[in-house]
Amino acid sequence: MENFPVINLEKLNGEERSSTMEMIKDACENWGFFELVNHGISHDLMDTVERLTKEHYKKCMEQRFKEMVASKALEGVQAEVTDMDWESTFFLRHLPYTNISEIPDLEDEYRKVMKEFAGKLEKLAEELLDLLCENLGLEKGYLKKAFYGTKGPNFGTKVSNYPPCPNPELIKGLRAHTDAGGIILLFQDDKVSGLQLLKDGKWVDVPPMRHSIVINLGDQLEVITNGKYKSVLHRVIAQSDGNRMSLASFYNPGNDAVIYPAPALVAKETDEKQVYPKFMFDDYMKLYTAVKFQAKEPRFEAMKAIEVDVNLKQIAA
């Protein structure tokens, strides 16, 4: 955990810019994860988001979770549960349209604060995509454009709580998976840990740090970078005490965005073919939803099989 990459974004504005960019590059190439401090989102706003998220869980979701646990007889499980997660969640959509006003039980203050927080995260996601472009030698704005589609990117927040679990060795908070989309920005509990990523065959804890934003790369960035950056398996370990809050915001391609390796990153001087397929993001998501907790490589292979169809769709458009 002591080697986990922590990036101070403020250092991009001074003489340490090049070494900071190098740290981001190393984190993208060798970890698929990094943690941001001094990212420009006010601590006061983050504290308010945390307080209101925890209050909302207590008031509106805790009892529902207990009833779900009772109905599925999970309280006293004796054998490992492999088809379910120990988490309580709801999803807020921000782009291309918002559903914040439609989610029941949210206090007006919470709606307002989450809208403000999402706006800051969207800006940070786009700033990070441009930093990745710089490191990759792509023109500024390339990744944002690649995500755009006809209606702009998809952006939403999965609000999760991981309550105390009586049998944490038998059920995961969230089973191991890679994220399907683009770039993920996570505001996690700084007191209750549980998030782990797989590095060099070992599970490594992502350190809980106050007011940090954890970044991880999704499958679409692996495709666009032709495997230079890779999405990484991660999971949440259930804990026997403490309720862990997690707000994961996904900045993803638009449904009809066509994803393929950036031509500038595909080696032209060799005979090596593009390793990764070309596909429409919506087609990938339909497959991912069914096989989220399985290996990603067969997903990429399945997309290769429908590649011809994508080209035909583009010609028709």
Side-chain angles (χ1 to χ4, degrees), residues 57 61-77 84-88 163-167 171:
Y57 173 73
M61 301 192 72
E62 187 173 43
Q63 187 56 36
R64 280 182 226 163
F65 183 77
K66 286 177 179 169
E67 287 165 8
M68 183 277 289
V69 166
S71 72
K72 296 188 185 296
L74 292 175
E75 194 69 48
V77 289
M84 204 177 302
D85 303 309
W86 188 269
E87 65 172 357
S88 167
C165 178
N167 299 98
I171 184 167

Side-chain angles (χ1 to χ4, degrees), residues 84-126:
M84 204 177 302
D85 303 309
W86 188 269
E87 65 172 357
S88 167
T89 68
F90 65 97
F91 192 82
L92 296 174
R93 178 173 282 285
H94 313 304
L95 293 173
Y97 59 87
T98 175
N99 71 346
I100 288 184
S101 61
E102 298 155 27
I103 303 289
D105 307 328
L106 297 187
E107 302 275 346
D108 286 345
E109 184 191 6
Y110 192 26
R111 288 184 213 274
K112 184 173 168 238
V113 163
M114 286 305 289
K115 195 172 175 186
E116 182 185 352
F117 187 50
K120 305 280 187 195
L121 288 170
E122 180 193 342
K123 188 166 168 273
L124 180 58
E126 291 176 352

Side-chain angles (χ1 to χ4, degrees), residues 258 260 278 280 307-317:
V258 176
Y260 55 92
K278 179 181 193 177
M280 201 173 287
E307 202 158 350
V308 176
D309 189 38
V310 172
N311 289 325
L312 289 173
K313 280 181 189 170
Q314 281 187 293
I315 291 163

Side-chain angles (χ1 to χ4, degrees), residues 11-26 134-135:
K11 291 190 172 177
L12 287 173
N13 302 319
E15 54 196 35
E16 292 180 70
R17 179 181 171 83
S18 62
S19 60
T20 305
M21 288 298 287
E22 193 56 40
M23 284 174 72
I24 295 172
K25 178 175 179 281
D26 180 69
E134 190 177 330
N135 270 339

Side-chain angles (χ1 to χ4, degrees), residues 33-285:
F33 268 77
F34 52 95
E35 202 150 356
L36 292 180
V37 295
N38 296 322
H39 40 64
I41 300 176
S42 89
H43 292 181
D44 283 350
L45 177 59
M46 295 179 83
D47 289 343
T48 305
V49 167
E50 181 173 358
R51 175 177 61 80
L52 293 174
T53 299
K54 289 181 173 177
E55 283 174 6
H56 176 263
Y57 173 73
K58 275 278 181 210
K59 184 179 170 190
C60 302
M61 301 192 72
E62 187 173 43
Q63 187 56 36
R64 280 182 226 163
F65 183 77
K66 286 177 179 169
E67 287 165 8
M68 183 277 289
V69 166
S71 72
K72 296 188 185 296
L74 292 175
E75 194 69 48
V77 289
Q78 303 298 312
E80 188 175 3
V81 179
T82 57
D83 61 349
M84 204 177 302
D85 303 309
W86 188 269
E87 65 172 357
S88 167
T89 68
F90 65 97
F91 192 82
L92 296 174
R93 178 173 282 285
H94 313 304
L95 293 173
Y97 59 87
T98 175
N99 71 346
I100 288 184
S101 61
E102 298 155 27
I103 303 289
D105 307 328
L106 297 187
E107 302 275 346
D108 286 345
E109 184 191 6
Y110 192 26
R111 288 184 213 274
K112 184 173 168 238
V113 163
M114 286 305 289
K115 195 172 175 186
E116 182 185 352
F117 187 50
K120 305 280 187 195
L121 288 170
E122 180 193 342
K123 188 166 168 273
L124 180 58
E126 291 176 352
E127 183 186 335
L128 287 167
L129 288 177
D130 276 343
L131 293 174
L132 267 52
C133 284
E134 190 177 330
N135 270 339
L136 289 161
L138 297 171
E139 66 188 53
K140 187 176 180 179
Y142 181 91
L143 290 171
K144 185 181 174 185
K145 203 162 139 192
F147 282 20
Y148 209 78
T150 57
K151 297 189 178 94
N154 281 306
F155 185 46
T157 299
K158 180 186 175 190
V159 181
S160 305
N161 280 272
Y162 298 92
C165 178
N167 299 98
E169 67 288 352
L170 295 178
I171 184 167
K172 296 285 181 290
L174 180 58
R175 287 162 285 165
H177 64 287
T178 63
D179 288 327
I183 191 165
I184 298 86
L185 303 92
L186 171 71
F187 175 27
Q188 67 166 348
D189 206 293
D190 65 296
K191 295 177 186 67
V192 184
S193 64
L195 178 62
Q196 296 182 326
L197 64 94
L198 191 66
K199 172 143 174 71
D200 303 327
K202 292 182 183 156
W203 287 104
V204 177
D205 290 317
V206 176
M209 287 174 59
R210 189 143 182 78
H211 299 133
S212 73
I213 300 281
V214 176
I215 305 298
N216 73 286
L217 310 180
D219 295 349
Q220 306 312 302
L221 282 176
E222 178 167 338
V223 172
I224 293 170
T225 65
N226 207 37
K228 191 173 176 67
Y229 296 168
K230 287 189 167 63
S231 57
V232 170
L233 274 175
H234 53 286
R235 67 185 186 182
V236 176
I237 297 297
Q239 307 289 351
S240 57
D241 55 355
N243 182 61
R244 179 176 182 271
M245 177 204 78
S246 158
L247 288 91
S249 296
F250 300 83
Y251 189 99
N252 290 348
N255 290 0
D256 63 354
V258 176
I259 303 300
Y260 55 92
L265 300 181
V266 179
K268 293 186 176 68
E269 65 278 3
T270 70
D271 294 333
E272 186 190 353
K273 297 260 192 307
Q274 285 184 186
V275 179
Y276 289 84
K278 179 181 193 177
F279 53 83
M280 201 173 287
F281 180 62
D282 195 41
D283 290 334
Y284 189 84
M285 282 308 294

